[in-house]
Amino acid sequence: ICSNTATNISISSSSSGTSFSWTFTTSGSVSGGSNGSGSTISQTLVNSSPNPQTVTYQITPSYTNNGVICNGSQISVVITVNPSASISNNPVSQTLCTGNNTTPVTWTSLSSVSSYSWIATSSAGITGFISNGTGNLPSMPLTNNTNIQASLIYSVTSSVNACPGAPSDYTIIVNPNAIADFIPTDTIKCPPFNITNTILGLQTFPANNGQYEWYVNDTLFFTGAVFPGYTILNEDDSVTIKLKAISLFGCKADSMSRKFYTYKLPHPAF
């Protein structure tokens, strides 16, 4: 039987009026059994070890006539109590960047597990995963289509001799890539054109980005979320500002560039 299951042993005899008593013995890893009497042994046995264990009910039939008790031959009922298995993997999680493959998982257990089954619960936006299956967990190409960290949780059930244990969770975290984005309010002005942080209009995406690098004409100019400003002094001039967003999680960086101009000023002719 499975751990945490009732024995449900029905005892009978060809001789009417027979009563029954029993003694219970165990290796010590099974609880829930006890000595008793009656025609049914219904005791819920719990195996606290990782391996199958046996218990024995020694049943004695007896017949009473005019105060004289006659005992019959004893019989032994041996029951194998299978454990409630669970996975023993350590760690019980992995983390990857969107667009990458997961590391395949070979389940382990302290018990002699005969089978594993699993079913997935996913955050919104994760694609590429296998929703359910049996055996070990294969590698999967996962994509996080959101701008935040997302997770995929597999509920894993281990079985010993068709006795399922309590489900255990295995978590896969899928991190997003960085996002570089700024929306300028102006890209052309009269000189001097002071390109301020407000004009640049940085979109920060704090759930994705850990750092920001600003380049002026492909030369690193500043690191940080608040652009200190850059001035185009000359007329009819231009500068290219590039933003490189560094991932908060070590995933792919992202970049974008915009060009800013100054007008050519009118000059009097003599």
Side-chain angles (χ1 to χ4, degrees), residues 48-187:
S48 59
S49 81
N51 300 307
Q53 301 292 327
T54 59
V55 301
T56 302
Y57 287 98
Q58 193 79 20
I59 302 171
T60 301
S62 60
Y63 180 80
T64 302
N65 185 19
N66 293 325
V68 179
I69 300 174
C70 297
N71 292 330
S73 300
Q74 292 182 327
I75 60 169
S76 296
V77 177
V78 179
I79 298 175
T80 298
V81 185
N82 289 310
S84 180
S86 62
I87 63 171
S88 60
N89 291 66
N90 185 23
V92 288
S93 66
Q94 61 176 283
T95 301
L96 68 152
C97 295
T98 181
N100 290 334
N101 290 342
T102 62
T103 301
V105 181
T106 299
W107 305 121
T108 60
S109 176
L110 298 177
S111 304
S112 301
V113 171
S114 53
S115 67
Y116 296 97
S117 62
W118 34 267
I119 186 168
T121 302
S122 170
S123 300
I126 294 183
T127 57
F129 64 92
I130 302 171
S131 58
N132 60 77
T134 58
N136 294 320
L137 191 66
S139 177
M140 299 168 287
L142 297 186
T143 300
N144 179 355
N145 296 292
T146 73
N147 293 330
I148 60 174
Q149 191 178 67
S151 62
L152 176 65
I153 299 176
Y154 280 96
S155 179
V156 186
T157 300
S158 313
S159 297
V160 176
N161 300 326
C163 291
S168 302
D169 286 346
Y170 186 92
T171 302
I172 300 175
I173 297 172
V174 187
N175 289 320
N177 291 327
I179 299 177
D181 191 20
F182 60 97
I183 305 173
T185 57
D186 289 291
T187 57

Side-chain angles (χ1 to χ4, degrees), residues 179-184 200-203 205 213-215 218 240-245 253-260:
I179 299 177
D181 191 20
F182 60 97
I183 305 173
L200 279 179
L202 171 66
Q203 310 299 300
F205 296 99
E213 295 178 352
W214 298 94
Y215 293 79
D218 292 325
T240 299
I241 295 180
K242 181 177 80 171
L243 166 65
K244 181 178 181 181
D254 189 31
S255 64
M256 70 163 289
S257 300
R258 290 296 298 269
K259 202 163 188 176
F260 296 81

